[in-house]
Amino acid sequence: MRIALVMTVVMGLGFFGGLFYASLTGGPAPAPIPVAAPNFSVPDATDAAAAASVLRARQMRDQRRRMRAEAEAFLSELDEAGCTLDPAQYDRYADTGSYSMQFDLPDGGERTFEMTGAQFKGFAVDAAAELKLSNLDCDQSGRYFQVEKDTVRVLEKRRIEARFNGEIVEIQQKRNLVLRQDDDGRWKIQEIKGVARIR
């Protein structure tokens, strides 16, 4: 009886001892450590096309602003020549350009000048002298710029006071100018077309 009791105690101690040893050496499995998965996604072609379109639009806008600023500077230099019916610096005209201006005279008649840029420069046409106008005093009323690819169109309106046959008259002038850079990057007048009413 005593032996059986001793055996029971020994077995119980062995069982609990085994549990204690397992708790010291084993334990629960560690929690998994999250790892960021690599991004193997392919860039969306639609997003790339949209970004390229935005870039092109920005470049075109910047180019239009630059062209307009250069055209404004070009015409401002011509304004410094004074108030004339036509720019006084003939080298600013392209030889292949065209020049056409119609003047409605106070007596109801009209006078028209039409020629190429080369003829305009060669004849050194002074419309004011041809029309017997003098003492021109110009009021620049406005210029409107429109950039089209490699050209700049300018709608120009001017009010000019002058003397015609000794009398003071007013000239209402509208001109459509086309400006473009030549092969050397210099701005040239490619076309002048307009009307002027002398009253």
Side-chain angles (χ1 to χ4, degrees):
M1 186 74 174
R2 188 180 305 172
I3 294 173
L5 182 61
V6 171
M7 290 295 295
T8 302
V9 172
V10 170
M11 289 178 63
L13 289 175
F15 175 75
F16 287 109
L19 290 178
F20 179 71
Y21 178 76
S23 67
L24 291 178
T25 59
I33 300 174
V35 178
N39 184 11
F40 295 109
S41 62
V42 178
D44 191 346
T46 304
D47 293 343
S53 177
V54 169
L55 179 60
R56 284 194 302 271
R58 184 180 297 119
Q59 291 172 339
M60 290 176 62
R61 184 174 63 249
D62 292 343
Q63 181 180 3
R64 287 195 297 268
R65 287 176 178 170
R66 176 188 60 78
M67 291 174 64
R68 172 173 175 150
E70 291 179 0
E72 288 178 344
F74 175 85
L75 293 177
S76 294
E77 290 178 5
L78 292 179
D79 290 340
E80 293 177 4
C83 181
T84 59
L85 292 175
D86 305 296
Q89 298 172 327
Y90 297 109
D91 63 326
R92 300 298 182 101
Y93 289 87
D95 290 343
T96 57
S98 63
Y99 173 83
S100 174
M101 280 293 301
Q102 175 185 316
F103 294 89
D104 296 336
L105 306 177
D107 60 5
E110 68 178 41
R111 180 78 183 274
T112 301
F113 299 91
E114 287 186 340
M115 60 196 74
T116 66
Q119 291 170 332
F120 183 86
K121 292 190 291 184
F123 297 153
V125 175
D126 185 345
E130 294 280 341
L131 296 168
K132 298 181 174 56
L133 293 167
S134 60
N135 300 93
L136 277 68
D137 183 15
C138 183
D139 174 19
Q140 183 70 52
S141 59
R143 284 187 177 129
Y144 306 90
F145 295 82
Q146 182 177 352
V147 179
E148 302 172 353
K149 293 185 179 179
D150 61 343
T151 64
V152 179
R153 291 186 177 273
V154 184
L155 175 62
E156 179 182 77
K157 297 180 180 180
R158 296 197 295 181
R159 185 179 65 83
I160 303 169
E161 287 188 358
R163 286 191 174 272
F164 177 74
N165 291 334
E167 296 183 1
I168 297 176
V169 294
E170 180 179 282
I171 305 170
Q172 294 286 345
Q173 185 184 52
K174 292 182 180 180
R175 298 194 304 186
N176 192 335
L177 295 88
V178 177
L179 311 179
R180 187 182 301 120
Q181 290 176 296
D182 63 13
D183 294 336
D184 296 324
R186 295 171 300 187
W187 285 94
K188 297 281 188 177
I189 299 173
Q190 301 292 330
E191 178 183 327
I192 289 183
K193 186 175 183 179
V195 296
R197 292 177 173 81
I198 304 173
R199 296 289 182 263

